[in-house]
Amino acid sequence: MQIESIQIKNYRLFRDTKLERIPKLCVLVGANGTGKSTLFDVFSFLKDSLSMNVGKAISKRGGYKELSSRGHSTEPIEITMQFRLEITGKERLVTYLLRISLGTNGKPIIEREVLRYKRGSYGAPFHFLDFSNGKGYAITNEEDFSKPDEALNKEYSELDAPDILAVKGLGQFEKFKAASAFRLMIENWHISDFHVTEARPSQEEGYAEHLSSRGENLPLVANYIFENHSKIFKRIIKSMKKRVPGVSVVEPKQTEDGRLVLRFQDGSFKDPFIARHVSDGTIKMFAYLILLNDPNPYPMLAVEEPENQLYPELLPELAEEFRDYATRGGQVFISSHSPDFLNALLLSEIYCLRKENGFTKITKASDSETLTSLNNEGDLPGYLWKQGLFEGLN
């Protein structure tokens, strides 16, 4: 799965904003308040809408008037996403449209929800799912691409409420292939909200295969990989030794009272010491390596400002780890202010956010002839960003 474009209308700072030609590693830069966190919240909003419903996801964000763009609270919120997804053994460029508005009772409703993609090389995209106000249809025999439109089976249904996503209900059934694949994709997004303080404490004995968004289960996940994927754990330790000079051993250790602790061995000390005595940067780097070496990588990973608490010298190394993750198949979105992190990137991987007339505009750095020319002459992206040359891109 790879998201290729996102268009967002009437969602906070995104009055009408579009990201196009999105690479596997996508890094957002911009001044504070330009909307980097807003894009990540769009991902979280879609995931919340799937796990709860649209009404609760909007309520969680303060209500419709708070979520809609300033001065446009009576207009629909619209999210359109294009992504490549394997359906019935073939990779398809799929478009998902979600339009939300206020109903006559003042509560949010899903005005329109569509999943569409082309059945062949030519012609308009076919709607394999199309719902309005809780009613609509989905195709049950998507694999029959060669058949005429009238031969495709449309199953009509009505949802329990007009603020429930059709992909939530129908996506549970394999016969609705596009809806099922899209639901699975969103369910497996990982939007990181990592907190070093929560990753430090030891935990009661337990079980966890994947790092949580806040990282509080780090010892459990480290223990799972240590016991079940020894080659991956050795690779993580090898990366730690390479990325964090002085660290020679990292191991999960069970105490006599059943708690799990992480122990680190520094070459300067004879005995290993537990995580609460290790620097924030060491813990955070280890957590990122656990996340980026997950045996079952997430289809999409979103991380805000990974440079926090890390030494500047580690940031190019971390950028390399993120790119490796993206190369193996998981798309990565990152926001950053760090010139050191940006220096390790390609210009085509960077998008610049800025405000125009109070709303966000997003520009791909490689579309700028000036930046491209300077980069080709040897100026690194981080230095160009630090000099303010990303500002005012058209």
Side-chain angles (χ1 to χ4, degrees):
M1 184 282 294
Q2 179 175 345
I3 299 172
E4 296 209 345
S5 71
I6 306 171
Q7 185 170 15
I8 308 162
K9 296 181 180 180
N10 201 33
Y11 192 104
R12 290 183 169 154
L13 289 173
F14 295 155
R15 175 65 184 141
D16 188 354
T17 306
K18 190 170 186 179
L19 281 83
E20 300 181 279
R21 296 171 288 121
I22 302 174
K24 292 287 284 183
L25 175 60
C26 175
V27 179
L28 310 172
V29 300
N32 289 331
T34 53
K36 298 186 297 297
S37 296
T38 303
L39 178 62
F40 285 43
D41 187 58
V42 169
F43 294 142
S44 294
F45 174 76
L46 288 173
K47 194 167 182 176
D48 287 344
S49 296
L50 188 65
S51 62
M52 302 184 288
N53 57 47
V54 165
K56 288 182 179 179
I58 289 176
S59 179
K60 181 179 176 181
R61 289 159 176 79
Y64 194 92
K65 290 184 178 180
E66 280 292 318
L67 192 61
S68 57
S69 297
R70 188 175 61 254
H72 300 275
S73 60
T74 60
E75 298 179 22
I77 293 170
E78 186 171 302
I79 300 169
T80 306
M81 184 181 299
Q82 283 193 316
F83 51 93
R84 295 203 172 270
L85 197 62
E86 185 175 301
I87 301 174
T88 64
K90 293 184 179 180
E91 188 179 75
R92 305 283 175 180
L93 180 61
V94 182
T95 299
Y96 179 69
L97 165 70
L98 177 64
R99 186 184 302 127
I100 303 163
S101 61
L102 287 176
T104 55
N105 60 359
K107 294 182 179 180
I109 61 169
I110 299 173
E111 185 179 304
R112 191 82 187 276
E113 182 182 10
V114 173
L115 264 176
R116 62 178 185 261
Y117 57 93
K118 289 185 178 181
R119 299 171 60 196
S121 302
Y122 305 98
F126 188 85
H127 289 203
F128 286 86
L129 180 149
D130 197 331
F131 273 72
S132 296
N133 301 318
K135 299 178 182 180
Y137 69 84
I139 301 298
T140 61
N141 59 333
E142 294 176 52
E143 65 277 6
D144 295 332
F145 292 105
S146 59
K147 293 184 178 181
D149 290 358
E150 57 270 17
L152 294 176
N153 299 328
K154 290 184 178 181
E155 184 170 307
Y156 289 86
S157 59
E158 182 174 353
L159 304 172
D160 290 338
D163 66 341
I164 296 176
L165 293 179
V167 294
K168 176 179 181 178
L170 302 183
Q172 300 177 69
F173 305 102
E174 180 59 30
K175 64 180 178 180
F176 302 111
K177 293 177 176 58
S180 179
F182 184 66
R183 174 189 170 122
L184 187 63
M185 178 186 78
I186 295 181
E187 284 180 338
N188 286 289
W189 282 354
H190 183 90
I191 298 101
S192 178
D193 185 24
F194 181 77
H195 290 252
V196 171
T197 53
E198 296 190 21
R200 285 185 180 280
S202 58
Q203 292 195 340
E204 298 298 326
E205 185 179 6
Y207 182 84
E209 295 185 14
H210 307 287
L211 192 67
S212 64
S213 62
R214 296 179 71 86
E216 75 280 354
N217 63 348
L218 178 60
L220 297 180
V221 181
N223 190 64
Y224 165 76
I225 297 177
F226 176 75
E227 291 184 343
N228 298 279
H229 301 277
S230 58
K231 289 184 179 179
I232 292 177
F233 196 81
K234 288 177 182 177
R235 184 167 71 236
I236 292 170
I237 301 307
K238 183 178 179 181
S239 293
M240 278 295 289
K241 293 178 182 178
K242 179 181 178 182
R243 309 305 189 197
V244 186
V247 173
S248 58
V249 175
V250 183
E251 62 177 358
K253 198 75 173 179
Q254 188 172 345
T255 64
E256 293 182 0
D257 59 354
R259 291 176 297 117
L260 280 172
V261 296
L262 289 174
R263 301 203 312 168
F264 291 76
Q265 176 72 57
D266 189 300
S268 304
F269 297 88
K270 180 180 179 180
D271 298 316
F273 43 89
I274 60 177
R276 66 170 176 266
H277 300 307
V278 180
S279 72
D280 287 350
T282 298
I283 289 289
K284 192 167 188 180
M285 192 69 179
F286 180 66
Y288 280 142
L289 289 173
I290 288 288
L291 177 64
L292 296 174
N293 286 278
D294 193 306
N296 295 298
Y298 299 98
M300 193 274 282
L301 177 64
V303 181
E304 288 197 72
E305 300 180 8
E307 65 267 20
N308 292 342
Q309 291 125 3
L310 290 181
Y311 296 111
E313 307 84 59
L314 293 179
L315 297 179
E317 310 278 358
L318 184 59
E320 183 181 328
E321 294 286 347
F322 278 119
R323 182 179 287 110
D324 182 59
Y325 182 90
T327 302
R328 295 198 310 271
Q331 191 169 18
V332 180
F333 288 83
I334 295 171
S335 68
S336 178
H337 287 107
S338 169
D340 297 284
F341 189 84
L342 297 180
N343 279 340
L345 302 177
L346 302 174
L347 209 59
S348 59
E349 295 170 333
I350 303 172
Y351 288 74
C352 183
L353 284 71
R354 68 182 188 279
K355 279 187 178 180
E356 284 189 4
N357 301 317
F359 297 108
T360 298
K361 183 175 182 180
I362 303 179
T363 309
K364 193 168 187 175
S366 58
D367 287 343
S368 166
E369 292 183 5
T370 300
L371 291 180
T372 300
S373 177
L374 291 171
N375 187 234
N376 289 339
E377 292 174 6
D379 288 317
L380 296 176
Y383 298 140
L384 298 174
W385 161 252
K386 193 173 182 179
Q387 294 172 38
L389 295 176
F390 277 61
E391 298 298 323
L393 297 183
N394 295 314

